[in-house]
């Protein structure tokens, strides 16, 4: 892994390179996605079936696109009971964490009779996208479906790409059933996003689409935003480790590689105040890559987006980490909780040497759907809040409006909105 001195220029160059992975950098794919969206919107199921045959080599029709009860039962026979138990224990932890995020409606009555409040209601129907392809992601099923269930969403449908044989990865189906998804459809890519956004003869239109995917899914979600809501436009996975001389080089290397193995566009960054640790981590990474199963993907990821930055001071390192605003941030320093208080920008923060990033991916409880590409500066993790809407409630008595009407009329008149002023004034003509 390349080792560089942390400077303003080296940080800027690295960020510029990382931003090349954003959805703005794929004009050819964007054109293809827009064509798919338009086609599915116009032809519905027929277009979805054609794209599944073209991209997933899977022949589907209206009778086979939805996963059946029998297919779910068959999936349980292929998934070891031990793994089913692990999925259930993960669900309990994830549900318990998200239950703490629930909001309640509230009302406040003023002395003059005015009642103000906020009503919290869940979305009616949500679509969850779960990727397939290079790996199975039952954890993504849990992280998207469970907060929606906790929020009280009425109907949760899921789309995931099938294999050429028309089967969905068994662990994905088991996870969907255990998390209580209402329906699973065998379609992926931009055509799945289009089907959920516009609705087809078999796939109902949703109010919001959540879940990660490849560049085609990300571009499709961005394109349909406004027609439906989305969680975010997810980019490739990222990890930054902030470490000093007390960190264990083997731990740091292993954690960096845990994200580099996702795909060739994933980024893994170490920011440290120790040149010695930097060299040790680089060596440990070389050793791990000799035995890890996805070494080829890891190698490409690290060649393109792997960095070790050596800072002169811990404050310089912290400033760099806040500027990077990574999806996952691990803190492995002498006093990690003190360091954590100085972090402003990160999707999720893992504090201390035993808080390995995969703890958050699978089992800790907080959501692993996180902001990427520096958007942790202004976006948050997926949560129960993503599956509710808040409606303001206003009731005024005559007494309350009488005390305010001259101010309202003057305010409206200042904006030259005379009909606004008149709407209040007519109530006090007599």
């Amino acid at each position: 892994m390349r080792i560089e001195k942390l400077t303003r220029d080296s940080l800027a160059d690295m960020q510029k390179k990382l931003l090349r992975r954003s959805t703005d950098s794929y004009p050819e794919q964007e054109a293809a996605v827009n064509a798919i969206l338009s086609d599915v919107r116009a032809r519905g199921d027929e277009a979805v079936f054609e794209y599944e045959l073209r991209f997933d080599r899977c022949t589907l029709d209206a009778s086979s696109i939805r996963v059946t009860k029998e297919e779910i039962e068959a999936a349980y026979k292929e998934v070891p009971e031990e793994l089913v138990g692990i999925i259930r224990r993960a669900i309990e932890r994830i549900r318990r964490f998200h239950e703490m995020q629930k909001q309640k409606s509230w009302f406040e009555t003023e002395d003059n009779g005015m009642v103000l409040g906020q009503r919290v209601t869940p979305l009616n129907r949500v679509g969850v996208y779960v990727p397939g392809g290079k790996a199975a992601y039952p954890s993504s099923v849990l992280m998207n479906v469970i907060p929606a269930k906790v929020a009280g969403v009425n109907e949760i449908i899921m789309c995931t790409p099938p294999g050429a044989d028309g089967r969905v990865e068994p662990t994905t189906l088991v996870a969907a059933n255990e998390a209580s998804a209402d329906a699973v459809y065998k379609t992926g890519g931009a055509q799945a996003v289009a089907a959920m956004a516009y609705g087809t003869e078999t796939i109902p239109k949703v109010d919001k689409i959540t879940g990660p995917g490849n560049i085609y899914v990300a571009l499709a979600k961005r394109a349909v935003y406004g027609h439906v809501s989305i969680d975010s436009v997810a980019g490739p996975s990222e990890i930054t480790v902030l470490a000093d001389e007390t960190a264990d080089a083997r731990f740091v290397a292993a954690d960096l590689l845990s994200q580099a193995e996702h795909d060739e566009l994933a980024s893994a960054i170490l920011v440290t105040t120790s040149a010695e640790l930097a060299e040790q981590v680089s060596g440990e990474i070389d050793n791990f890559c000799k035995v890890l199963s996805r070494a080829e993907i890891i190698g490409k990821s690290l060649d393109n987006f792997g960095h070790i930055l050596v800072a002169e001071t811990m404050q310089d390192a912290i400033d760099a980490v806040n500027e990077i605003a990574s999806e996952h941030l691990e803190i492995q320093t002498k006093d990690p909780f003190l360091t954590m208080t100085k972090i402003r920008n990160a999707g999720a923060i893992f504090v201390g040497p035993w808080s390995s990033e995969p703890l958050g991916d699978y089992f800790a409880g907080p959501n692993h759907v996180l902001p990427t590409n520096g958007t942790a500066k202004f976006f948050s993790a997926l949560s129960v809040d993503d599956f509710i809407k808040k409606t303001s409630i206003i009731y005024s008595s005559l007494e309350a409006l009488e005390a305010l009407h001259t101010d309202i009329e003057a305010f409206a008149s200042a904006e030259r909105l005379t009909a606004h002023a008149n709407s209040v004034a007519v109530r006090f003509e007599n």
Side-chain angles (χ1 to χ4, degrees), residues 316-356:
D316 288 342
I318 290 169
D319 290 343
V321 163
N322 279 321
E323 185 61 30
I324 294 167
S326 186
E327 177 187 19
H328 308 98
L329 172 65
E330 287 190 4
I331 300 175
Q332 299 193 32
T333 60
K334 183 178 180 180
D335 191 344
F337 279 100
L338 177 61
T339 305
M340 183 267 291
T341 64
K342 301 176 182 179
I343 301 301
R344 298 188 309 275
N345 304 322
I349 302 174
F350 299 77
V351 183
W354 309 111
S355 305
S356 173

Side-chain angles (χ1 to χ4, degrees), residues 84-221:
V84 176
I86 290 170
I87 288 172
R88 288 171 179 166
R89 291 194 292 276
I91 286 172
E92 285 306 308
R93 294 187 63 88
I94 296 165
R95 180 183 291 116
R96 186 162 64 245
F97 178 86
H98 287 83
E99 287 279 358
M100 300 294 290
Q101 299 176 336
K102 291 178 70 173
Q103 297 190 45
K104 297 180 180 179
S105 299
W106 57 267
F107 296 90
E108 179 183 72
T109 303
E110 299 180 2
D111 292 340
N112 58 16
M114 181 176 285
V115 179
L116 303 176
Q118 179 175 272
R119 190 176 69 177
V120 176
T121 54
L123 302 183
N124 182 52
R125 182 186 291 127
V126 167
V128 170
Y129 186 87
V130 176
K134 295 179 180 178
Y137 296 102
S139 60
S140 286
V141 177
L142 307 186
M143 293 295 182
N144 283 272
V145 174
I146 291 172
K149 278 290 178 184
V150 170
V153 172
N154 184 54
E155 183 181 359
I156 304 169
I157 71 168
M158 192 176 101
C159 286
T160 189
D165 58 0
R167 298 173 72 246
V168 173
E169 171 65 36
T171 54
T172 299
L173 280 187
V174 168
N177 189 64
E178 291 292 331
S180 300
D182 294 291
V184 180
Y185 295 94
K186 305 172 188 176
T187 179
Q191 64 270 25
V193 175
M196 291 188 284
Y198 306 128
T200 72
E201 295 87 339
T202 57
I203 301 176
K205 181 187 182 306
V206 301
D207 301 313
K208 185 166 189 171
I209 299 172
T210 72
N214 62 18
I215 187 60
Y216 294 95
V217 172
L219 287 167
K221 286 173 66 178

Side-chain angles (χ1 to χ4, degrees), residues 33 51 58 147 185 208 252 263 293 374:
V33 164
Y51 288 120
C58 178
Y185 295 94
K208 185 166 189 171
V252 173
D263 63 54
S293 62

Side-chain angles (χ1 to χ4, degrees), residues 3-11 308-312:
I3 300 175
E4 308 167 71
K5 182 178 179 181
L6 174 61
T7 65
R8 185 177 298 177
D9 289 341
S10 66
L11 180 61
I308 298 177
L309 301 177
V310 181
E312 289 189 7

